[in-house]
Amino acid sequence: MSAQDNDSGARTSSAASSTSALKWVAIAILALLAMYGWQQKSSAEGELTALRGEVASLQKAVDDAAEVRKSSQDEIDRLKSAVADAQRQVDEGKADVSTAMAKVSELDNKVAGLTKDNEGLQAKLAAAGDAAKKLTSEFDVANKAKSDAESAANALRGEIDSLKGQIATLQKDLDAAKAAAQQATPPATPAPAPETPAAP
């Protein structure tokens, strides 16, 4: 009876140990996943901040280019007006007309170059915006993964605490069964002393 109890207790202890080991392995894996999610989140935050700075810089360059283009266009309009006036006074302002036309051509070329630069900056700005959206999405995914891992770890901790309680209860039951088995076992009866033969 005592051997059966010992065997049963050993199996119970072994099963509890295996379950506990598996739970701790699961907790370690989830902790690693949480750390990985946190690293991904930190990396995404750094890249997002850098891209936002680049977007702001590109936006300023676009605004500056637009301002220069507007100023150049105003200058062209003014010079074209001067050309019109000069053409009405050809006899008096041929030199001025020639200079103004050269300036208009120069400014037209400058406006064309600025327009091309502005288009390139707009394309970069759009690409930076797309990259920022992608990083924001990755940031959200990393946050969700971290939150899920923390929730799972908390749930496993609860299960481990419950299993510890069950193991403690089983240990108490095992100790009580052992004590009962020891009390139920009768003490050994001493062997009778040999009889002494009678004297003749």
Side-chain angles (χ1 to χ4, degrees), residues 30 33-34 140-155:
L30 288 172
L33 288 175
D140 292 340
V141 170
N143 264 341
K144 186 177 184 305
K146 177 178 177 290
S147 177
D148 291 346
E150 289 175 348
S151 297
N154 289 334

Side-chain angles (χ1 to χ4, degrees), residues 112-195:
L114 287 171
T115 299
K116 184 177 180 181
D117 291 344
N118 184 55
E119 290 172 355
L121 288 171
Q122 290 284 5
K124 287 182 179 180
L125 181 61
D130 291 342
K133 288 179 183 178
K134 181 180 178 182
L135 282 174
T136 299
S137 177
E138 291 177 356
F139 178 75
D140 292 340
V141 170
N143 264 341
K144 186 177 184 305
K146 177 178 177 290
S147 177
D148 291 346
E150 289 175 348
S151 297
N154 289 334
L156 279 175
R157 288 190 189 100
E159 291 183 19
I160 287 171
D161 290 339
S162 176
L163 285 172
K164 284 181 178 178
Q166 293 176 20
I167 290 170
T169 301
L170 288 172
Q171 186 63 47
K172 287 180 181 179
D173 292 345
L174 179 61
D175 292 340
K178 286 181 178 179
Q182 289 175 356
Q183 291 178 358
T185 302
T189 303
E195 292 182 0

Side-chain angles (χ1 to χ4, degrees), residues 75-131:
E75 181 69 8
I76 287 172
D77 293 341
R78 187 188 69 77
L79 288 171
K80 284 182 178 179
S81 178
V83 169
D85 292 339
Q87 285 178 343
R88 285 192 297 268
Q89 303 173 7
V90 172
D91 294 337
E92 297 177 3
K94 286 183 179 180
D96 291 339
V97 169
S98 177
T99 301
M101 289 299 295
K103 186 68 175 177
V104 167
S105 178
E106 178 185 344
L107 287 172
D108 275 336
N109 290 335
K110 186 176 181 181
V111 168
L114 287 171
T115 299
K116 184 177 180 181
D117 291 344
N118 184 55
E119 290 172 355
L121 288 171
Q122 290 284 5
K124 287 182 179 180
L125 181 61
D130 291 342

